[in-house]
Amino acid sequence: MKKLLTLALVLASANAFASRAGNTALGNSVHIADAYSPEVIAASSEYFSIETGKTAVTQAAGQNALNAEGHLVKSVGPGFLSLGIGHLDSTIFATRSVAAAGVTTMKPQQNPLEISYGMKMDNMNVGAGLIYSNYETKEGTLKDKESSMGLKLGVSTDLFYGRLKVIFADNYKDSTTAGSEVEYKGKTAFVVSGGMNFGSTSVHAQISQTGGKITSAGTDVANGDKTEISLKAVETIKNDGNDFFYGAGLTTSSSKETVGDTKETTLNLPLIIGLEASATSWLKLRASVTQDVLLSNTKKDDATTPANNVETNPGLNTTHFAAGAGIAYNKIVIDATLANDTTTDTSKQKINLDNLLGTVGVSYKF
Amino acid sequence: MGRYNFIFLFLITLLAFNVKASRGRISALQSIHLSDPELIYYFPSKQIEIPNYLIFQTGATESTYYNERPYAAFKSDFLSDNSDFYSVGFTMGRSSDLIDGIRDKVNRFYLTQYEQTANPVDFNYTFKSLGNTYSVGFFYADKNEKVNLVGNHAATLNFGLRIDDFTFSTNAGLYNSVVDPTTLDRLSIYQSFVGRLLYELDDIDILLDISSSQIKLFSSGVETSHLELLNYKMGLVKNEINGQDKFFYRLDLVTEQGRERTLNLDTRTISLPLTVGIESMLNDLFTIRGSVKQIIGVYKSSEFDPGENTTTAAVGVGLNIHKINIDGTFKGLIGSSANQQVNSNQLMTETSLTYWF
């Protein structure tokens, strides 16, 4: 399938306090700024945020929302220094999640660090950041190691923003059994994104190129590449401290795996509707619904095992609801989701004392 | 032996990182350096700097894990005729870091089930003279089942000293032995010692901590295991006071050495944990606390270099009503297995009530 380059662009807002719960409740809309982007840090203020969660999470889709992490932004010199501890990079996590099918002991980044610095230069916010993690166990029932390293650059003005992320090291190796080592090596990954602001309408585009190679006892067992392109537009309506937004986008991906000779393409047209309302001076309520409309196509060709071929046009239901609350008092903000995880469990449509707050995070603004 | 080596190292490191040396407030902050009644058990001479209090700490009476039992503590100052003053502190039920902390380590390493101390009491006497503060105290716990000769005995002597900005403390174990009622095997811990130094320089605290223990296990009177532990810790804490809010970052250098003589096993772990924490008053009624801790940079041993993920977050809350504080941590938001939830099933834990005189 040809790559599509139709334009629908989304702009990230200047909300530098985009906690995990806040983002989740607002459907991870692209108009919400990524707090870890260097140019967002340049335009932010001093704060410290805590995302509660587990110390050890598995390398599976969605698990990177369950880990504990902290983010500190402090004024240093003319700009801001950001220190992220425990934060799992989304690009690395997504690529390893795909590779985990071939490397069953795959681990996410261990003790990850993200250090960024951003500052204002004339009318522009600029910033750069480093991503790093390293781990190795030499003895025990599982001998393995992982490492990652990446670079982030960002620039923004009132009208536009641009980001570049390069992951130039992403490795995992299981060497428990001598002579039968299983190794994953991520290919250099690029994520380029940008956006523009047209009044209440914002546009965003992102192109990413990722891939990885898996070897077992020195023999290639998988070699894959993936290209993703997304173009989105969001309209934001502000009214008395309330933000209502809706948006549409076009996302497409193309991936191929050369050892098993498989190809997969997707084409989706996601819609999002969301609201962040100020119920009181100290309470914000958030809700969103996302769904693919008209286009929700997936095609997978497996030349080796044709029985694995898949083609849906359109595909399964994708309607997803999320809600959350933010309590802001003095300098503390506590964000949480409500009626946590409504993906499959119908009993989770309730809000009661047993199902109250989830994905809780705490932020302190200096 | 390789398997034991790994398990030994893993547990020593795990315990050092998860030492629940305190409750409620300290657990939410994951650092013991702020002025708090819990700090007295590490620097007894600090007792005189803290207002008089009565604390009730919740816990499980028969918990087999270190520092999860309930306790009550009382502290009061007295002003003497010559304007020096002294204070007395009494605690009942609280586990001893030197006694029970080591027993917990032994249980996790050897997979034994030696009991924690029974009905412990802790007494601390502090007095101030000529600008310096001195403290002396003891910890004592005893249990004796006479039919099967199952004993559980422990005692320590504790000393503290404060001169200007330097605060010293030392705990010396007098005896520490316990018999497993099921197997009748005996654990003896001797030559146990911990020494601490705190230097307070404006908004920076420098902490030093050295501890050592000799541990022996006996079965039918015959020595079966011999373990030596030696730990060093150096910490640097930068505090920022913003009105009534406290923010800190703390960096420690921790070295843990163990020698298992029976298995001929030497292990050594070096780590550099970073802790960032905040305590903020929402209003006169509520205080929110939180922290994140992770080992950064250095985390090595003979088995790993660096080790697995260690990021832990913790959030707690304090309720302040007149002279009463109710402190606790959010059950779903603390620890390595936090599920991120706050609801009626995941509400408060490690809760304590403090009354300030």
Side-chain angles (χ1 to χ4, degrees):
Chain A
M1 181 176 212
K2 290 184 181 177
K3 295 178 185 137
L4 296 178
L5 275 179
T6 312
L7 297 182
L9 303 175
V10 175
L11 175 72
S13 78
N15 180 5
F17 273 90
S19 66
R20 180 189 284 164
N23 265 332
T24 302
L26 295 175
N28 295 304
S29 176
V30 291
H31 80 289
I32 301 170
D34 176 5
Y36 284 89
S37 291
E39 84 286 354
V40 172
I41 291 164
S44 71
S45 55
E46 294 186 321
Y47 71 91
F48 172 52
S49 69
I50 300 166
E51 299 288 358
T52 61
K54 300 176 187 175
T55 298
V57 296
T58 58
Q59 184 61 63
Q63 287 282 309
N64 58 333
L66 303 180
N67 65 304
E69 58 184 77
H71 190 196
L72 175 65
V73 176
K74 290 286 275 180
S75 171
V76 176
F80 292 91
L81 182 68
S82 156
L83 173 66
I85 55 176
H87 178 68
L88 299 173
D89 180 77
S90 57
T91 304
I92 295 171
F93 194 89
T95 312
R96 289 191 187 183
S97 291
V98 173
V103 185
T104 54
T105 56
M106 178 79 81
K107 279 190 170 73
Q109 292 168 285
Q110 302 290 298
N111 296 313
L113 278 179
E114 257 191 61
I115 299 174
S116 302
Y117 188 78
M119 57 187 284
K120 287 188 189 296
M121 293 178 66
D122 295 328
N123 295 327
M124 216 179 278
N125 301 311
V126 295
L130 285 174
I131 300 165
Y132 172 80
S133 72
N134 192 20
Y135 151 81
E136 182 175 4
T137 296
K138 304 168 193 173
E139 295 289 338
T141 54
L142 176 63
K143 298 175 195 173
D144 59 349
K145 61 180 179 180
E146 75 84 24
S147 63
S148 68
M149 196 173 289
L151 176 69
K152 297 161 79 168
L153 299 171
V155 61
S156 72
T157 67
D158 291 340
L159 291 177
F160 81 95
Y161 77 93
R163 297 173 191 155
L164 170 66
K165 177 164 63 175
V166 180
I167 307 296
F168 43 82
D170 177 19
N171 306 303
Y172 176 82
K173 184 175 182 180
D174 179 351
S175 51
T176 305
T177 306
S180 299
E181 293 87 356
V182 180
E183 185 170 6
Y184 156 78
K185 280 194 174 178
K187 299 178 183 177
T188 303
F190 296 92
V191 181
V192 180
S193 57
M196 292 193 71
N197 184 19
F198 301 100
S200 61
T201 303
S202 55
V203 292
H204 172 83
Q206 177 170 299
I207 300 174
S208 67
Q209 176 67 44
T210 58
K213 189 172 166 183
I214 300 173
T215 59
S216 178
T219 304
D220 287 358
V221 295
N223 189 340
D225 295 280
K226 185 173 185 178
T227 302
E228 293 177 281
I229 301 171
S230 76
L231 308 160
K232 295 180 181 175
V234 173
E235 176 80 13
T236 306
I237 300 168
K238 295 179 188 289
N239 184 14
D240 291 335
N242 304 316
D243 291 348
F244 168 74
F245 64 92
Y246 59 93
L250 198 60
T251 64
T252 180
S253 72
S254 171
S255 60
K256 62 180 178 183
E257 197 284 299
T258 55
V259 175
D261 197 8
T262 62
K263 293 179 186 176
E264 182 172 345
T265 56
T266 64
L267 178 63
N268 304 89
L269 203 159
L271 288 191
I272 183 169
I273 301 173
L275 171 68
E276 182 177 72
S278 297
T280 67
S281 60
W282 52 269
L283 178 66
K284 279 189 190 290
L285 297 175
R286 307 178 180 106
S288 67
V289 175
T290 58
Q291 180 186 303
D292 287 346
V293 174
L294 298 178
L295 294 176
S296 180
N297 304 341
T298 303
K299 186 173 182 184
K300 181 178 176 183
D301 291 322
D302 188 334
T304 309
T305 312
N308 292 338
N309 288 353
V310 169
E311 183 168 1
T312 58
N313 185 353
L316 293 173
N317 195 52
T318 58
T319 317
H320 184 79
F321 166 80
I327 299 170
Y329 208 92
N330 210 348
K331 297 181 179 181
I332 288 278
V333 176
I334 300 172
D335 285 319
T337 53
L338 298 173
N340 206 28
D341 187 9
T342 57
T343 304
T344 56
D345 188 347
T346 56
S347 69
K348 291 286 176 65
Q349 294 170 7
K350 303 172 187 172
I351 296 177
N352 52 33
L353 289 179
D354 289 334
N355 297 284
L356 193 60
L357 303 178
T359 321
V360 177
V362 178
S363 299
Y364 176 79
K365 193 173 181 181
F366 290 92
Chain B
M1 183 178 297
R3 173 174 171 272
Y4 269 111
N5 201 6
F6 175 78
I7 294 173
F8 174 45
L9 197 62
F10 173 77
L11 290 173
I12 293 293
T13 308
L14 177 68
L15 289 174
F17 205 73
N18 287 333
V19 168
K20 291 169 84 173
S22 184
R23 309 282 192 91
R25 181 183 184 226
I26 304 299
S27 290
L29 296 174
Q30 299 186 81
S31 174
I32 306 167
H33 72 279
L34 293 176
S35 179
D36 188 276
E38 279 289 326
L39 190 63
I40 294 170
Y41 301 105
Y42 295 86
F43 296 101
S45 58
K46 287 276 185 187
Q47 179 174 274
I48 221 158
E49 301 170 19
I50 295 177
N52 298 333
Y53 61 80
L54 175 62
I55 290 178
F56 299 96
Q57 174 69 55
T58 61
T61 300
E62 296 184 9
S63 172
T64 55
Y65 294 107
Y66 162 64
N67 210 19
E68 290 188 356
R69 292 186 172 179
Y71 72 84
F74 164 82
K75 178 257 174 181
S76 181
D77 291 336
F78 301 90
L79 194 65
S80 66
D81 292 336
N82 60 358
S83 297
D84 290 330
F85 65 95
Y86 60 96
S87 79
V88 168
F90 177 76
T91 306
M92 61 178 191
R94 189 185 183 280
S95 304
S96 162
D97 306 291
L98 186 62
I99 300 290
D100 296 293
I102 304 294
R103 289 187 187 183
D104 202 43
K105 284 186 180 182
V106 169
N107 282 338
R108 290 173 194 249
F109 174 60
Y110 290 110
L111 302 180
T112 49
Q113 293 183 331
Y114 292 108
E115 294 174 344
Q116 297 280 287
T117 49
N119 301 315
V121 293
D122 189 299
F123 177 81
N124 189 45
Y125 173 76
T126 306
F127 64 96
K128 199 165 185 177
S129 177
L130 301 176
N132 300 327
T133 308
Y134 308 86
S135 73
V136 62
F138 66 87
F139 170 91
Y140 173 78
D142 196 48
K143 171 192 162 188
N144 201 13
E145 198 273 289
K146 293 183 177 179
V147 174
N148 296 309
L149 301 179
V150 175
N152 185 345
H153 318 288
T156 72
L157 270 181
N158 313 319
F159 302 97
L161 169 67
R162 172 156 188 170
I163 301 173
D164 293 330
D165 296 326
F166 291 89
T167 308
F168 305 90
S169 75
T170 178
N171 293 21
L174 297 178
Y175 53 86
N176 182 1
S177 69
V178 58
V179 175
D180 187 325
T182 306
T183 63
L184 298 183
D185 292 341
R186 179 165 58 90
L187 165 68
S188 287
I189 302 172
Y190 56 103
Q191 296 180 13
S192 56
F193 158 86
V194 60
R196 299 185 177 101
L197 168 67
L198 167 65
Y199 177 49
E200 295 167 275
L201 179 66
D202 295 329
D203 57 353
I204 293 177
D205 295 339
I206 299 171
L207 301 106
L208 291 175
D209 189 309
I210 299 173
S211 63
S212 75
S213 296
Q214 297 271 349
I215 297 151
K216 287 188 178 180
L217 274 65
F218 298 87
S219 180
S220 302
V222 176
E223 182 181 312
T224 56
S225 300
H226 183 180
L227 178 64
E228 298 174 357
L229 298 176
L230 179 62
N231 300 328
Y232 308 91
K233 183 160 74 174
M234 183 166 67
L236 187 69
V237 188
K238 173 82 164 62
N239 299 294
E240 289 183 14
I241 309 296
N242 192 3
Q244 289 185 309
D245 300 339
K246 300 177 186 65
F247 172 77
F248 70 90
Y249 12 70
R250 174 174 180 155
L251 191 63
D252 293 292
L253 178 62
V254 182
T255 303
E256 289 134 353
Q257 296 178 177
R259 173 171 289 181
E260 219 296 343
R261 290 190 175 276
T262 312
L263 299 175
N264 197 23
L265 217 57
D266 284 332
T267 58
R268 186 178 184 193
T269 303
I270 303 173
S271 62
L272 203 66
L274 170 70
T275 310
V276 184
I278 181 71
E279 179 178 77
S280 174
M281 289 195 71
L282 282 185
N283 50 34
D284 290 339
L285 194 59
F286 288 106
T287 301
I288 293 288
R289 308 175 181 107
S291 62
V292 177
K293 187 172 188 176
Q294 179 181 301
I295 296 178
I296 61 170
V298 178
Y299 186 26
K300 59 190 293 185
S301 74
S302 56
E303 277 65 48
F304 55 75
D305 182 12
E308 285 188 328
N309 200 56
T310 55
T311 320
T312 53
V315 177
V317 66
L319 187 64
N320 318 306
I321 305 171
H322 197 42
K323 293 185 178 183
I324 290 180
N325 290 148
I326 298 174
D327 295 302
T329 46
F330 286 111
K331 185 178 173 185
L333 307 186
I334 186 170
S336 58
S337 57
N339 62 11
Q340 307 172 314
Q341 294 184 25
V342 175
N343 50 42
S344 59
N345 294 321
Q346 308 289 336
L347 198 58
M348 296 280 283
T349 185
E350 300 178 289
T351 311
S352 65
L353 183 148
T354 306
Y355 176 74
W356 301 94
F357 291 91

